[in-house]
Amino acid sequence: MIERYTLPEMGRVWSEAHKYELWCRVETLVLEAHAAAGRVPADVVEPVRQAPPPTPEAVAEIEATTQHDVIAFLSAWADNTEPRSAAAYVHHGMTSSDLLDTALAVQLTDATDVLLAKADRLVAALRDHGLAHRHTIKVGRTHGVHAEPDVWGHRVADLAFAAARSRDRLRTARAAVGVVAISGAVGTYSLIDPSVERIVAEALDLRAADASTQVVLRDGISEWVSSLAILATVCEAIALEVRHGQRTEVRELSEAFGSGQKGSSAMPHKKNPIRSERIAGLARVVRAAIVPVMEGIPLWHERDISHSSTERVFLPDAAITLDYLLDLTAGLVENLVVDVDRMRANLDSTGGLIYTSAVLLELVEGGMGREQSYALVQGAAMQTWQTGTPFRETLRARAEADGVALDEAKLDDICRPERYVANLDPLFERLAALS
């Protein structure tokens, strides 16, 4: 992922230098287990433990000849080991994927922990914003068209619970990728004792694989990437709400606009939802990882490395991008500008059409047939759409023409927006408890 969207903590997780640090850690743990069991000389452990990880440049130089990254790493690390002969016992009984998959599991769980912390921040921001606007009346929309009165906090609560569910899916997926496999060339432990795998897993606070061939089957990693994509898409849903709300014709929401910020090189008046649009664009990048990574589940008899190149690109990119997205989205919510007066003005802009559903039910409950009631209310509503005459006036005229008596006192109550959100208290109690 390009530096523009890479935050330092997550960038460190996926750096080449850190990867080789993890490879050294895994190999050292295996060597210590062998030595403790008496399978290798005990005096080789300390020289290997003290050997600094090789630099990415040193590994790359050797790999240019070997065309094998693990062999290149082992050779470069051996060059850093004193005495070099101690390095002969490194990678004892292992195959490359024992090292690769186990170190990758550490990277994936470390990356997940960074993401979960930022997801917690986003959930908290949405929760607090929703509670702050539990009484902010606005129009509820369906298909982009005014429907019934609502409160802004209700819409935010929906997004908060979605973000929390998505975070929890990611937490579950962490367990799916936190898997150690140190089982040898075809997963049969032919040259390495199964106890080594268990010891290493415990040291890394991971779990030993239920089974592996030379690799861990990629269903767990696919689950992890899918959970990232879902969380990224929830971020996009939040951003889309802001983009709609910042449209000139709506103007209910807007991103914070800092002193000195510019919206357009040509039009000085512009204040564009650039953060929200960036979120929408980058969510596509995370979603794009799903299919290529999932296609690493079926491998050739019984494994090949076609998944390797894919994962080198998509796993870091998906994690780094979502990390940036979560940070950006939390900041968007924390600094969101809400125009309460504009929300109320928009609610009133259709002349009372947002009350038609309650009027329909009132007529039915008063004894009129549903079809007749619907025809009466729809006819009045269409006249309001066409002429701009307030709905109460067109309704009154239609009812009088049809010989229907209206209870004006009940209509006064029906046409009060607060009536429509009176049953939301339990929802906001659930929101307040969200963590």
Side-chain angles (χ1 to χ4, degrees):
M1 179 51 61
I2 62 175
E3 289 186 13
R4 182 181 182 92
Y5 303 125
T6 303
L7 300 180
E9 186 178 15
M10 186 62 82
R12 163 73 176 159
V13 170
W14 294 103
S15 70
E16 285 289 286
H18 182 59
K19 180 180 75 173
Y20 293 137
E21 290 171 1
L22 291 177
W23 287 14
C24 290
R25 184 182 178 194
V26 171
E27 292 282 4
T28 301
L29 288 171
V30 172
L31 185 64
E32 290 172 347
H34 280 319
R39 297 188 192 96
V40 303
D43 60 0
V44 303
V45 175
E46 192 58 27
V48 170
R49 188 186 289 132
Q50 294 300 321
T55 65
E57 294 77 15
V59 176
E61 183 179 357
I62 298 172
E63 189 181 355
T65 299
T66 64
Q67 295 297 301
H68 195 291
D69 58 346
V70 173
I71 293 175
F73 159 77
L74 293 171
S75 296
W77 194 25
D79 291 340
N80 293 347
T81 306
E82 291 293 340
R84 198 179 194 282
S85 58
Y89 293 95
V90 172
H91 206 67
H92 199 69
M94 297 171 64
T95 191
S96 296
S97 288
D98 289 337
L99 173 59
L100 296 172
D101 280 2
T102 298
L104 178 60
V106 177
Q107 285 182 296
L108 291 171
T109 53
D110 285 351
T112 303
D113 291 340
V114 175
L115 295 173
L116 288 173
K118 292 188 177 177
D120 283 341
R121 176 190 166 199
L122 175 59
V123 170
L126 289 164
R127 178 198 63 213
D128 294 347
H129 187 81
L131 291 172
H133 289 280
R134 65 184 297 172
H135 300 300
T136 301
I137 294 288
K138 66 178 287 293
V139 67
R141 298 174 174 88
T142 62
H143 306 274
V145 178
H146 288 203
E148 288 185 355
D150 198 355
V151 289
W152 171 235
H154 176 209
R155 176 58 178 144
V156 177
D158 190 26
L159 296 167
F161 285 114
R165 289 191 300 269
S166 301
R167 174 201 58 194
D168 295 344
R169 289 187 192 97
L170 178 57
R171 185 175 290 116
T172 300
R174 184 190 189 279
V177 295
V179 175
V180 169
I182 300 176
S183 54
V186 294
T188 60
Y189 307 95
S190 58
L191 299 174
I192 195 164
D193 193 275
S195 64
V196 174
E197 184 178 69
R198 294 194 298 271
I199 291 168
V200 172
E202 183 176 348
L204 296 175
D205 198 23
L206 303 175
R207 65 180 180 86
D210 298 319
S212 60
T213 55
Q214 193 180 81
V215 298
V216 177
L217 201 72
R218 262 40 193 176
D219 59 307
I221 291 178
S222 297
E223 178 184 347
W224 184 81
V225 168
S226 297
S227 70
L228 264 62
I230 293 170
L231 187 47
T233 306
V234 171
C235 289
E236 183 182 6
I238 296 165
L240 184 61
E241 195 71 29
V242 176
R243 292 173 69 189
H244 280 314
Q246 194 162 335
R247 291 170 57 237
T248 304
E249 295 81 2
V250 181
R251 294 204 315 279
E252 295 177 355
L253 305 170
S254 61
E255 296 180 359
F257 196 82
S259 176
Q261 185 174 338
K262 304 293 188 291
S264 167
S265 63
M267 297 168 284
H269 72 281
K270 295 281 279 181
K271 292 172 64 175
N272 300 325
I274 57 169
R275 295 174 187 83
S276 300
E277 291 171 345
R278 196 182 315 149
I279 291 166
L282 289 174
R284 300 167 189 167
V285 175
V286 183
R287 285 194 296 271
I290 294 177
V291 172
V293 171
M294 191 172 291
E295 289 177 347
I297 295 175
L299 297 176
W300 279 37
H301 215 185
E302 281 118 1
R303 56 86 50 168
D304 56 60
I305 60 168
S306 60
H307 65 288
S308 176
S309 54
T310 300
E311 291 173 2
R312 289 172 193 259
V313 174
F314 282 103
L315 298 185
D317 279 8
I320 289 169
T321 304
L322 180 58
D323 181 54
Y324 180 83
L325 274 175
L326 289 168
D327 188 73
L328 191 63
T329 308
L332 173 68
V333 175
E334 290 163 350
N335 298 289
L336 187 63
V337 178
V338 179
D339 191 332
V340 175
D341 293 336
R342 179 68 179 183
M343 284 185 170
R344 184 60 186 248
N346 283 342
L347 180 140
D348 294 333
S349 65
T350 56
L353 288 177
I354 55 176
Y355 305 119
T356 60
S357 57
V359 172
L360 170 64
L361 293 187
E362 180 62 31
L363 292 175
V364 171
E365 290 170 5
M368 184 182 294
R370 183 177 178 86
E371 291 182 352
Q372 182 185 359
S373 300
Y374 195 103
L376 171 60
V377 174
Q378 185 184 42
M382 293 303 107
Q383 187 176 351
T384 295
W385 275 122
Q386 293 160 9
T387 65
T389 303
F391 174 64
R392 286 284 292 272
E393 293 183 21
T394 60
L395 178 67
R396 192 176 294 114
R398 287 274 178 161
E400 184 176 346
D402 290 354
V404 176
L406 298 176
D407 187 329
E408 294 292 341
K410 285 188 175 181
L411 287 176
D412 287 340
D413 182 57
I414 286 172
C415 296
R416 186 173 55 85
E418 293 77 11
R419 178 180 186 272
Y420 291 75
V421 295
N423 292 326
L424 286 177
D425 284 349
L427 180 146
F428 285 107
E429 291 172 7
R430 293 192 294 273
L431 181 62
L434 186 64
S435 62

